[in-house]
Structure formats: C-alpha cells, structure tokens
Amino acid sequence: MKLAPAILLMGPTASGKTAVAMELMDRFPVELISVDSAQVFRDMDIGTAKPDAATLARYPHHLIDLISPEEAYSAARFRADALSLMADMTARGKVPLLVGGTMLYFKALLQGLAELPQACPETRALIDSQANAQGWPAIHAELATVDPETAARLHPTDAQRIQRALEVFRLSGRPLSVLLGAGRIEAPAYAFLCLGLLPSDRSVLHARIAGRFDAMLKAGLEDEVTMLRGKYRLSPDLPSMRCVGYRQVWEAQDGSAPRSEMRDRGIYATRQLAKRQITWLTNTLKPEAFDCLAPDLLERIATRVSQAFV
C-alpha cells in the first residue's frame, strides 16, 4: 500500500522557510502546519516573526495562536495535534507541509517520545529552592555529574531545561539522555520528504539575523512585551518569556540587564539558537540539504517536491 506523502521543511531562524513554504503552496496542493514553539502563543507576533494577517489569509497556517503566553505547549501535544491535522489533510486530498525551526518537534513527530516521569511540583520546588540559594550554574554542575550528556547541551543558566533534566533523574534514577535514547521509534505512516535549509556562509545568515532583530525592534518589540506583561500574568521563567528576543527585552525592562546591551544580547541569543538548530539538522534529523542562500533556492525546492509528487 502506497504511503501518503508529507513534506517536512526545516531550517534555522532567518533561513527563509516562510518564503519557500508560500511558494510551495502556490504550486502544489499542500496545506501548512507550523512547527514553531513560539508561534503557538497568542499576541506574540513581532518577536516570533509570525506572518501578518494578510499573509495568513492567503497562506493559512495551522498550529499558531493556540494558547495564552501563560500556558505551556509540549512536544507530545505538538505530535498529537500535527498527526490529527495530517490525517484530515490527507483525507481531503491535500499534502501536509510542516514548516518550522523547532527541531525537537520534528524529532517527536518522526520518532515518537520516550516515556518520561510526569512533572512533580514538590521536586521542582526543591530544585528551585536550591537554585535560589546556589544559582543555576551550580545546579547545572550537579546535573553534569549525573547526566553529562544532557548538561553538555544546556547553557548553565537554562533554568527550565536544567530543572526538567534533574527532575527526571531524581524521579526515575536514570539520566534524561538515557531515557530519550531508549524511546521507541514510532514513525507515522507517511512517505516523508525531509528538506533542510542550511546556509553555505554563516556570516550571511548572521547578517540576516541582525537585520531581522533590528526590524523587530523598529516594529515595536519592546511595546509588545510591555503589552503582554500588562495583559497576562507572566514571569520570566514561563516558556513564552524565555523565547529568544522576549527574554532579552524583559531583562532590559526589569533592569536585570543593561538596556544598552539589549540589541546585542538579542542578536547573540538568536545566533546561538540558529547554531543549535543547525546542529540538530546536521547531526540528528539529517534532511536533504539545500543552500538557503542560493539565488535559485525556490526553484530547486520546487523541482525536488515535483519529483516526489510523481
């Protein structure tokens, strides 16, 4: 039995994924699913580079504006939501086109998820108490003694992920890296065409990142954060406010980081995000690679997709 097709379009921030997706929607019977852990939040438009209303009217995106910035969205929920949408699209004769830069979501979709212990408020409170007394770098050092693989890929101040990794170890007695590695592969029944946009020159991508962050500031990113803080009950530890850009603006507004450094810190954080995304693509997901800086990128992608449709 021939499997239904599905397209995965992956790439780091500022690699031009949206432009490629729109071109594919103009040419092929595809329907777009966003794979973006920041665009799921309502009212977070500027800092997430969410398409504007006119673009969304012409090129509808599923899985954006799903939840309040007060809430959290997980890879498990993404997988369930995406598979439900994909089944509906296939039944209507459409080809799912999943586009984004949240590589963990792509991995969850393709490989399933490991069975991890559920969150334990008491354990998290204890870890938070330790962090308040010792600082997150000290908690990161503790994690490195029990799960060096996970600690190696986390920044010493990445409170949310450090907390979860240490929580998993304390509840299960096994490192998060081991549990994730033991996850059962459950690839959905689709013929996946996995396309990756990767830069041939990272300095050009870095210039794009800087230009885009400057454009966000000019468009009112600081005002957007002010609005969000007034409309919702937010804290800097929530997933929404830990998103790149929002975190740096929050810290500047609170005075925990110099306002004069906000732009540079935002650009640096975005470059680090792009670096992690590229590492995911090259080491874990390994899609067919296309140079996102190539002048004929759109034609190259369209040609590859047309081959898959034959």
Side-chain angles (χ1 to χ4, degrees):
M1 181 175 175
K2 187 176 180 181
L3 296 177
I7 304 167
L8 306 185
L9 181 61
M10 319 167 184
T13 185
S15 59
K17 298 181 294 294
T18 299
V20 174
M22 292 190 296
E23 182 73 16
L24 294 180
M25 291 182 77
D26 285 337
R27 298 192 185 202
F28 302 100
V30 299
E31 200 163 325
L32 195 153
I33 299 174
S34 171
V35 187
D36 191 306
S37 61
Q39 291 187 359
V40 298
F41 297 112
R42 291 189 293 270
D43 291 324
M44 292 175 56
D45 301 331
I46 297 172
T48 64
K50 197 176 293 177
D52 61 25
T55 300
L56 291 175
R58 182 174 176 183
Y59 303 99
H61 289 48
H62 295 280
L63 301 189
I64 67 170
D65 294 330
L66 293 181
I67 60 174
S68 156
E70 300 165 323
E71 301 175 83
Y73 191 77
S74 67
R77 180 174 169 185
F78 166 80
R79 189 174 197 270
D81 289 346
L83 288 174
S84 176
L85 287 166
M86 292 169 70
D88 176 66
M89 291 173 188
T90 300
R92 292 187 283 105
K94 295 285 189 177
V95 175
L97 170 61
L98 292 92
V99 182
T102 302
M103 304 307 167
L104 177 61
Y105 287 7
F106 281 118
K107 184 177 185 294
L109 175 69
L110 292 169
Q111 300 182 7
L113 294 161
E115 290 294 330
L116 300 177
Q118 293 186 342
C120 173
E122 294 79 9
T123 301
R124 292 192 169 190
L126 180 58
I127 295 171
D128 282 339
S129 177
Q130 286 182 255
N132 289 334
Q134 303 171 25
W136 282 106
I139 307 303
H140 180 266
E142 179 183 342
L143 176 65
T145 65
V146 297
D147 188 354
E149 182 178 337
T150 299
R153 64 179 177 81
L154 298 181
H155 191 276
T157 60
D158 191 346
Q160 181 184 2
R161 291 180 176 84
I162 293 170
Q163 180 195 61
R164 177 55 176 158
L166 195 56
E167 175 191 36
V168 166
F169 179 79
R170 290 184 180 182
L171 293 175
S172 69
R174 302 179 69 195
L176 176 63
S177 57
V178 171
L179 293 176
L180 291 177
R184 183 162 55 97
I185 295 177
E186 299 178 355
Y190 287 88
F192 284 108
L193 176 62
C194 301
L195 309 174
L197 305 186
L198 290 162
S200 55
D201 185 344
R202 291 203 191 185
S203 67
V204 177
L205 183 68
H206 292 167
R208 283 188 183 183
I209 287 170
R212 191 165 78 161
F213 195 76
D214 284 338
M216 289 176 178
L217 291 174
K218 186 176 181 180
L221 178 57
E222 291 185 78
D223 291 338
E224 182 170 85
V225 174
T226 300
M227 176 275 294
L228 292 166
R229 297 180 70 170
K231 184 174 181 178
Y232 300 100
R233 297 182 62 183
L234 301 177
S235 73
D237 292 329
L238 283 171
S240 61
M241 292 300 104
R242 293 186 63 79
C243 291
V244 168
Y246 292 91
R247 178 176 182 176
Q248 287 71 36
V249 172
W250 181 295
E251 291 171 345
Q253 290 182 347
D254 265 14
S256 55
R259 178 174 291 275
S260 61
E261 297 178 4
M262 181 182 67
R263 173 187 177 273
D264 289 344
R265 294 177 68 251
I267 291 171
Y268 176 77
T270 310
R271 286 174 58 168
Q272 292 301 108
L273 169 62
K275 181 179 179 181
R276 293 193 298 272
Q277 291 168 318
I278 291 170
T279 299
W280 267 94
L281 285 169
T282 55
N283 294 348
T284 302
L285 296 170
K286 300 178 181 178
E288 295 182 38
F290 291 80
D291 180 10
C292 66
L293 307 179
D296 60 347
L297 172 66
L298 295 178
E299 285 303 321
R300 286 176 177 269
I301 294 286
T303 298
R304 182 65 186 91
V305 170
S306 66
Q307 292 169 351
F309 272 85
V310 173

